[in-house]
Amino acid sequence: MMEDDDQKDSRRTSAQSFFESLDELFDSIETSSSSAAESLSASVEPKPSSPPKKTRPAKINLSDFEDAIADLEQFIQKKREKRPESKE
Protein backbone atom coordinates (compact mmCIF):
# COMPACT_ATOMS: atom_id res chain seq x y z
CA MET A 1 0.00 0.00 0.00
CA MET A 2 2.80 2.39 0.88
CA GLU A 3 4.43 1.90 -2.51
CA ASP A 4 1.18 2.99 -4.22
CA ASP A 5 1.10 6.17 -2.13
CA ASP A 6 4.75 6.87 -2.90
CA GLN A 7 4.13 6.26 -6.58
CA LYS A 8 1.11 8.58 -6.57
CA ASP A 9 3.09 11.28 -4.79
CA SER A 10 5.89 10.87 -7.31
CA ARG A 11 3.42 11.11 -10.19
CA ARG A 12 1.78 14.16 -8.67
CA THR A 13 5.12 15.89 -8.19
CA SER A 14 6.20 15.00 -11.71
CA ALA A 15 2.91 16.23 -13.16
CA GLN A 16 3.14 19.50 -11.27
CA SER A 17 6.69 20.01 -12.46
CA PHE A 18 5.63 19.20 -16.01
CA PHE A 19 2.79 21.73 -15.96
CA GLU A 20 5.01 24.42 -14.45
CA SER A 21 7.51 23.85 -17.24
CA LEU A 22 4.71 23.87 -19.80
CA ASP A 23 3.42 27.18 -18.46
CA GLU A 24 6.92 28.64 -18.67
CA LEU A 25 7.19 27.43 -22.25
CA PHE A 26 3.86 29.03 -23.19
CA ASP A 27 4.90 32.28 -21.52
CA SER A 28 8.18 32.22 -23.41
CA ILE A 29 6.43 31.54 -26.71
CA GLU A 30 3.92 34.32 -26.07
CA THR A 31 6.73 36.73 -25.25
CA SER A 32 8.63 35.76 -28.38
CA SER A 33 5.50 35.99 -30.51
CA SER A 34 4.49 39.38 -29.18
CA SER A 35 7.98 40.90 -29.64
CA ALA A 36 8.18 39.42 -33.15
CA ALA A 37 4.72 40.79 -33.90
CA GLU A 38 5.70 44.24 -32.61
CA SER A 39 8.76 44.37 -34.83
CA LEU A 40 6.72 43.07 -37.76
CA SER A 41 3.89 45.57 -37.23
CA ALA A 42 6.39 48.44 -37.19
CA SER A 43 7.42 47.60 -40.75
CA VAL A 44 4.04 46.47 -42.15
CA GLU A 45 0.82 48.49 -42.43
CA PRO A 46 -1.96 47.13 -40.21
CA LYS A 47 -4.71 45.18 -41.95
CA PRO A 48 -8.32 46.31 -41.57
CA SER A 49 -9.40 42.83 -40.42
CA SER A 50 -9.88 41.99 -36.76
CA PRO A 51 -6.73 40.99 -34.82
CA PRO A 52 -6.22 37.29 -34.10
CA LYS A 53 -7.34 36.13 -30.69
CA LYS A 54 -4.73 34.73 -28.36
CA THR A 55 -5.85 31.38 -27.08
CA ARG A 56 -4.19 29.45 -24.35
CA PRO A 57 -4.87 25.79 -23.76
CA ALA A 58 -7.22 25.05 -20.91
CA LYS A 59 -5.68 24.04 -17.62
CA ILE A 60 -5.74 20.30 -17.16
CA ASN A 61 -6.98 18.94 -13.88
CA LEU A 62 -4.12 17.19 -12.08
CA SER A 63 -6.19 14.14 -11.17
CA ASP A 64 -7.29 13.77 -14.81
CA PHE A 65 -3.66 13.91 -15.86
CA GLU A 66 -2.72 11.26 -13.28
CA ASP A 67 -5.55 9.03 -14.51
CA ALA A 68 -4.35 9.43 -18.09
CA ILE A 69 -0.81 8.48 -17.08
CA ALA A 70 -2.09 5.42 -15.23
CA ASP A 71 -4.13 4.42 -18.28
CA LEU A 72 -1.08 4.75 -20.51
CA GLU A 73 1.01 2.68 -18.12
CA GLN A 74 -1.64 -0.07 -18.10
CA PHE A 75 -1.81 0.00 -21.89
CA ILE A 76 1.96 -0.30 -22.22
CA GLN A 77 2.06 -3.10 -19.65
CA LYS A 78 -0.64 -5.05 -21.52
CA LYS A 79 1.25 -4.60 -24.79
CA ARG A 80 4.43 -5.94 -23.15
CA GLU A 81 2.57 -8.95 -21.77
CA LYS A 82 1.05 -9.79 -25.16
CA ARG A 83 4.31 -9.39 -27.09
CA PRO A 84 6.25 -12.66 -27.40
CA GLU A 85 9.75 -12.56 -26.03
CA SER A 86 12.24 -11.98 -28.80
CA LYS A 87 14.91 -14.65 -29.09
CA GLU A 88 18.06 -13.45 -30.76
Side-chain angles (χ1 to χ4, degrees):
M1 249 331 169
M2 197 64 157
E3 288 180 19
D4 288 339
D5 290 341
D6 290 342
Q7 191 174 15
K8 284 183 181 181
D9 287 341
S10 178
R11 285 183 187 168
R12 183 173 288 115
T13 302
S14 297
Q16 286 174 333
S17 177
F18 172 76
F19 283 118
E20 288 170 5
S21 297
L22 198 59
D23 283 340
E24 289 175 19
L25 177 63
F26 281 126
D27 291 342
S28 174
I29 290 171
E30 286 178 355
T31 302
S32 298
S33 296
S34 63
S35 49
E38 287 173 8
S39 65
L40 194 70
S41 66
S43 63
V44 177
E45 290 184 26
K47 294 182 181 179
S49 64
S50 62
K53 295 179 182 177
K54 286 187 178 180
T55 57
R56 190 166 184 168
K59 294 277 184 183
I60 298 174
N61 186 329
L62 186 57
S63 63
D64 291 340
F65 186 68
E66 289 173 342
D67 292 342
I69 291 172
D71 290 343
L72 287 170
E73 288 175 343
Q74 287 178 350
F75 174 78
I76 291 169
Q77 186 64 32
K78 286 179 183 178
K79 286 289 186 183
R80 285 185 184 155
E81 290 172 358
K82 289 181 181 180
R83 183 175 22 165
E85 295 295 323
S86 60
K87 297 179 182 178
E88 296 178 12

